[in-house]
Amino acid sequence: MSKAGFVTIIGKPNVGKSTLMNTLIGQKIAITSYKPQTTRKQVRTIYTDENGQIVFIDTPGLQKGKDHLAKYMYEASLSTLKEVDLILVLVEPKLARRDKDSTSDDPADLVPKDEKEVIRLAEKAADKTPVVLVITKVDTVPRDALLPILSSYSALWKKDTGKELADLVPVSARKKQGIEDLKKTIFSYLPEGEPFYGEDEVTTETEREIAQDIIREKALRLLQEEVPHGIAVKINRMKYRTAKAGEEICDIDADVLCEREAHKGIIIGKGGEMLKKIGTAARTDIEEMLGTKVNLKLFVRVRRDWKDDPALLKSLGYNEKDLKQ
């Protein structure tokens, strides 16, 4: 009998959760950026093969904040720990420096503080849900550096829980190293059962939600450090029509929301050049996703309070229950 189950991916901001999930399913669904907190809500993607079906739940990076959006993102990440069959904890291949005055030789002390916080959240759920630790970006470190990293995380887990870590898998999503091993490991922990979704389904996200995220991704990548992470995208209209030549076209009108007037000018750019670049890059990806031509119109709006406006956040696709936390 085949296996089927839900797997959540957690980790600190910018650890590579979305990149790994996209690599695991073989196509891009979750948006990626070098900036932290690119993922702002749960994104479900579906991988199906002859062994069964894995429903991946990508989550925002585990990082507390004060506004409604930050609180929502943190709660969205924590809530998945109670709903899944397996937890993947992603950490980077780095160790902290031992204090020069320290007399300890405990390898667990070398796990960086921010990674310890993520590990300990997973430990709380580990009594009921198995946890697999995934060391990401292993292509960025020499092979001989991996062993002490693996030893340190294993030591921390045993020190905190009194148990051995269920599994520890090193991977590189960028170079597709260890991906097949990770899939085999995941399936080994899933229960037997029938698939939850059709074998041709790859996400529970709607076309509108994916298009919205694509526009935001292009803005983040093109704006780089010029505008802080305080932007959002809201699609106001997405409608298909047939042109005179019989060709199908999708008309999309979307607002790029920012927090300050100064940011608006940067997003638009001199003579509208930056906004045009964002639109062109987004349109290309949206057309590939929809399989049809797209007429994309972008408008920049200043909304100083958008991160603290529950009604607006709900319209952007965030869960109303979590926004009330």
Side-chain angles (χ1 to χ4, degrees):
M1 180 180 286
S2 65
K3 294 189 169 186
F6 292 83
V7 178
T8 191
I9 306 176
I10 67 169
K12 68 180 185 180
N14 214 28
V15 75
K17 299 181 299 297
S18 298
T19 301
L20 177 63
M21 188 174 69
N22 289 337
T23 302
L24 284 164
I25 66 168
Q27 69 182 83
K28 181 174 179 176
I29 297 296
I31 70 171
T32 61
S33 167
Y34 70 91
K35 292 187 177 184
Q37 297 290 26
T38 300
T39 301
R40 287 177 172 164
K41 58 184 179 179
Q42 292 183 11
V43 177
R44 295 192 176 196
T45 58
I46 304 147
Y47 173 79
T48 307
D49 68 12
E50 65 276 7
N51 298 304
Q53 187 174 87
I54 307 169
V55 182
F56 290 104
I57 304 176
D58 185 22
T59 61
L62 284 164
Q63 180 171 289
K64 292 184 177 181
K66 296 181 180 179
D67 56 53
H68 272 75
L69 177 61
K71 291 176 181 177
Y72 163 80
M73 290 160 61
Y74 187 73
E75 292 300 327
S77 295
L78 292 184
S79 68
T80 64
L81 301 181
K82 306 171 185 177
E83 304 168 354
V84 296
D85 301 292
L86 178 66
I87 299 169
L88 298 185
V89 180
L90 271 62
V91 297
E92 292 189 88
K94 297 178 181 178
L95 292 178
R97 291 186 178 182
R98 197 182 296 278
D99 192 308
K100 64 179 181 180
D101 298 322
S102 174
T103 58
S104 170
D105 59 357
D106 186 350
D109 294 341
L110 296 178
V111 175
K113 182 180 178 181
D114 52 356
E115 302 286 22
K116 280 184 180 178
E117 292 172 358
V118 175
I119 294 290
R120 284 169 176 158
L121 284 172
E123 288 172 351
K124 294 178 182 178
D127 284 343
K128 296 182 179 179
T129 309
V131 175
V132 171
L133 192 68
V134 181
I135 307 291
T136 65
K137 307 177 185 178
V138 296
D139 58 303
T140 63
V141 296
R143 184 172 294 183
D144 59 3
L146 278 178
L147 185 57
I149 293 171
L150 302 181
S151 297
S152 294
Y153 280 98
S154 296
L156 176 66
W157 189 269
K158 189 167 185 178
K159 181 179 180 179
D160 287 353
T161 67
K163 302 176 183 178
E164 298 291 339
L165 189 62
D167 260 300
L168 201 158
V169 184
V171 303
S172 167
R174 188 171 67 90
K175 293 197 172 182
K176 299 184 179 178
Q177 297 173 357
I179 297 301
E180 292 307 313
D181 287 340
L182 181 55
K183 288 178 184 177
K184 290 177 184 177
T185 300
I186 292 170
F187 273 121
S188 72
Y189 286 97
L190 297 187
E192 293 183 344
E194 296 300 316
F196 298 97
Y197 300 95
E199 62 180 41
D200 58 339
E201 293 184 74
V202 293
T203 183
T204 57
E205 295 284 283
T206 65
E207 290 180 347
R208 179 183 287 255
E209 289 171 326
I210 296 173
Q212 196 165 265
D213 278 347
I214 286 172
I215 297 167
R216 185 164 64 90
E217 177 192 48
K218 302 310 176 187
L220 290 174
R221 286 182 175 272
L222 288 166
L223 292 167
Q224 299 180 9
E225 299 297 337
E226 292 187 84
V227 176
H229 225 60
I231 62 170
V233 173
K234 182 176 184 292
I235 289 182
N236 299 310
R237 184 174 74 108
M238 186 171 180
K239 187 174 182 180
Y240 289 91
R241 62 181 168 88
T242 302
K244 291 181 180 180
E247 180 180 46
E248 187 178 53
I249 297 175
C250 182
D251 292 320
I252 300 175
D253 294 347
D255 288 342
V256 178
L257 306 178
C258 60
E259 296 175 303
R260 301 177 185 175
E261 285 291 341
H263 295 165
K264 180 177 180 179
I266 294 171
I267 295 168
I268 293 173
K270 187 176 181 180
E273 192 64 28
M274 178 55 72
L275 191 62
K276 182 179 179 181
K277 286 181 180 179
I278 295 169
T280 299
R283 188 182 68 248
T284 300
D285 277 16
I286 296 172
E287 286 180 339
E288 184 177 346
M289 186 260 294
L290 298 178
T292 187
K293 285 196 171 183
V294 169
N295 174 34
L296 176 63
K297 294 181 181 179
L298 299 179
F299 306 89
V300 183
R301 317 283 188 195
V302 177
R303 289 291 302 269
R304 299 180 187 279
D305 62 342
W306 74 265
K307 289 183 180 179
D308 277 314
D309 185 338
L312 178 56
L313 290 172
K314 183 181 177 184
S315 74
L316 293 173
Y318 300 109
N319 185 283
E320 184 175 18
K321 173 178 69 66
D322 290 320
L323 289 173
K324 293 178 180 178
Q325 296 291 334

